[in-house]
Amino acid sequence: KPWHGATAVIAKPGRGPGALLNRMRSFLRAARKRDWDWLFVRNDSLIALAAAMRGKPVAFQLSHQMEETRLEMVRRAKGLRPWLHRLVSLSSRAIRRAAMARARLALPISEHLETLLLNTGERVGPSVVMPLGAVPLPLPDAQERLALRAELGIPADAKVLLYLGTLNRLRRLDTLIDAAAEARKSSGNVVLWMVGEGPSPMDRASLQSAVAARGAEEFVRLPGRVSRSETFKLIAAADFGLSYFPDIALFQQNSPTKVMEYLGLGLPTICTPQPEHGYALDICDGGVMSEGHDARAFAMAIQAALGKNWDRERIQRDFLAVRSYDALSLKLARALDENLAR
């Protein structure tokens, strides 16, 4: 495809061993047919390493160190299956480290991940943090927002806490239910919307069971997965966005997608302690970070956010000045020019 006066070859992502083999075949086929200038790879260590070994300049974006998390999860487990998981994870980590060492340019997705890569010696060459961003969209005015809330069945006096994202049980999202229940004791009509699905149908079912066990049906909504257009309606209609990560190493490295969407639409955000949460909020003074990961600490953050007046236009303006995809595209273009065009 033409892209800024050049030809861009885009390989579609996929999952599982079959998808990996297909991507490798596509890469080798393209390598025989084209003499490209550089290759941009996101997370696919094997492709990045294969390209670098062919002498091609590679820009390698990494969003997490998944292998370390998997190794930690099976560290004390016994039996054949955990042993196989360890073997696969160790092999995958070795490939990732080799790819990172050979890449012309590293693009870690967060400041925290870049620090880990540099401090451990996994990366010693040029590195530029390339986080996730937001798409600039117009904010609804007061009348449009009221109409959206009416369309979604949200009472005018309700304070809507919106969680968008995976319902994976690893996230321990029942903590949000307990935090919302605690906040309701002093803050009135607080409603929690938890929108999305998990990797397994059991993830959402587990949350539904948690809601029922707590008698929280009155204030918790679990609508499941919604369309992209509905997502932006929910963000526009909500009062606060929520981003909750348990205290697990994997979640300390990434760039939270939904936080970018919340702040990109000026939605004040309440989140747990996490480096990228802090960077995002500091850009625009756009929310409150809890002092801990437990329900009581998060409830206190909710109450603090409810007690402030928020200027959504200012939050959006300040955030997009740094984290719109236009701003990030310019940052990436400079990094590519400085490190790959030589």
Side-chain angles (χ1 to χ4, degrees):
K1 294 184 178 181
W3 183 71
H4 293 270
T7 299
V9 180
I10 302 171
K12 294 181 179 180
R15 293 183 178 181
L20 176 61
L21 291 174
N22 286 336
R23 291 200 304 276
M24 182 59 77
R25 280 196 293 266
S26 297
F27 164 73
L28 293 173
R29 192 180 304 119
R32 287 193 298 268
K33 291 182 178 179
R34 297 179 181 275
D35 183 25
W36 61 64
D37 297 306
W38 53 268
L39 182 71
F40 181 98
V41 181
R42 177 180 163 88
N43 288 334
D44 203 327
S45 303
L46 191 58
I47 297 293
L49 179 59
M53 290 179 69
R54 293 177 66 92
K56 298 295 184 181
V58 173
F60 186 23
Q61 185 177 38
L62 190 67
S63 61
H64 49 253
Q65 292 179 310
M66 180 64 78
E67 295 82 4
E68 281 78 354
T69 302
R70 288 174 176 159
L71 286 168
E72 180 61 27
M73 289 172 66
V74 299
R75 185 164 58 92
R76 295 185 179 88
K78 297 180 180 180
L80 179 60
R81 187 183 292 258
W83 184 86
L84 289 173
H85 277 299
R86 280 193 286 270
L87 181 61
V88 170
S89 296
L90 287 169
S91 301
S92 179
R93 185 176 68 179
I95 292 170
R96 188 197 74 215
R97 288 176 170 176
M100 185 60 68
R102 289 172 175 263
R104 178 75 64 82
L105 173 66
L107 298 168
I109 205 166
S110 69
E111 301 273 357
H112 184 69
L113 181 55
E114 181 184 52
T115 299
L116 285 175
L117 294 173
L118 296 176
N119 286 349
T120 59
E122 183 167 338
R123 180 63 187 173
V124 294
S127 175
V128 176
V129 174
M130 191 55 55
L132 296 177
V135 178
L137 292 172
L139 290 181
D141 60 30
Q143 288 301 115
E144 290 171 329
R145 190 163 178 268
L146 282 174
L148 278 175
R149 287 170 71 95
E151 178 186 334
L152 294 166
I154 299 172
D157 67 334
K159 293 297 183 182
V160 178
L161 310 176
L162 175 65
Y163 171 86
L164 285 170
T166 179
L167 303 186
N168 192 327
R169 280 168 288 179
L170 185 63
R171 294 289 184 100
R172 302 172 190 168
L173 295 175
D174 55 321
T175 306
L176 293 183
I177 302 171
D178 295 334
E182 182 69 23
R184 282 172 61 86
K185 293 177 182 178
S186 59
S187 301
N189 192 13
V190 173
V191 180
L192 173 62
W193 283 59
M194 305 177 76
V195 182
E197 296 284 355
S200 160
M202 291 302 297
D203 292 302
R204 185 158 170 257
S206 176
L207 265 186
Q208 288 172 324
S209 297
V211 171
R214 291 161 171 79
E217 295 93 337
E218 178 187 357
F219 66 91
V220 178
R221 307 285 183 271
L222 288 165
R225 183 178 287 111
V226 301
S227 67
R228 189 74 173 158
S229 60
E230 288 295 311
T231 294
F232 290 119
K233 284 184 181 181
L234 285 166
I235 294 174
D239 295 285
F240 298 95
L242 304 184
S243 184
Y244 180 85
F245 290 138
D247 192 12
I248 296 174
L250 171 67
F251 297 130
Q252 300 305 304
Q253 301 174 9
N254 67 352
S255 182
T257 308
K258 297 308 175 186
V259 171
M260 308 306 140
E261 293 182 353
Y262 297 153
L263 297 175
L265 275 169
L267 183 64
T269 299
I270 306 164
C271 50
T272 43
Q274 194 256 15
E276 186 66 6
H277 280 161
Y279 295 131
L281 294 185
D282 286 348
I283 289 169
C284 57
D285 189 22
V288 176
M289 186 183 296
S290 66
E291 293 186 0
H293 298 82
D294 60 287
R296 181 167 176 75
F298 206 81
M300 291 176 65
I302 293 171
Q303 290 161 344
L306 288 168
K308 291 185 65 174
N309 292 319
W310 300 94
D311 183 345
R312 292 183 69 153
E313 288 186 6
R314 181 198 56 75
I315 291 172
Q316 183 190 48
R317 182 184 64 248
D318 292 353
F319 186 74
L320 291 178
V322 179
R323 284 291 186 89
S324 71
Y325 279 113
D326 288 341
L328 291 176
S329 293
L330 291 174
K331 181 180 179 181
L332 178 59
R334 286 194 295 270
L336 295 175
D337 285 342
E338 291 170 5
N339 294 282
L340 298 184
R342 56 186 173 88

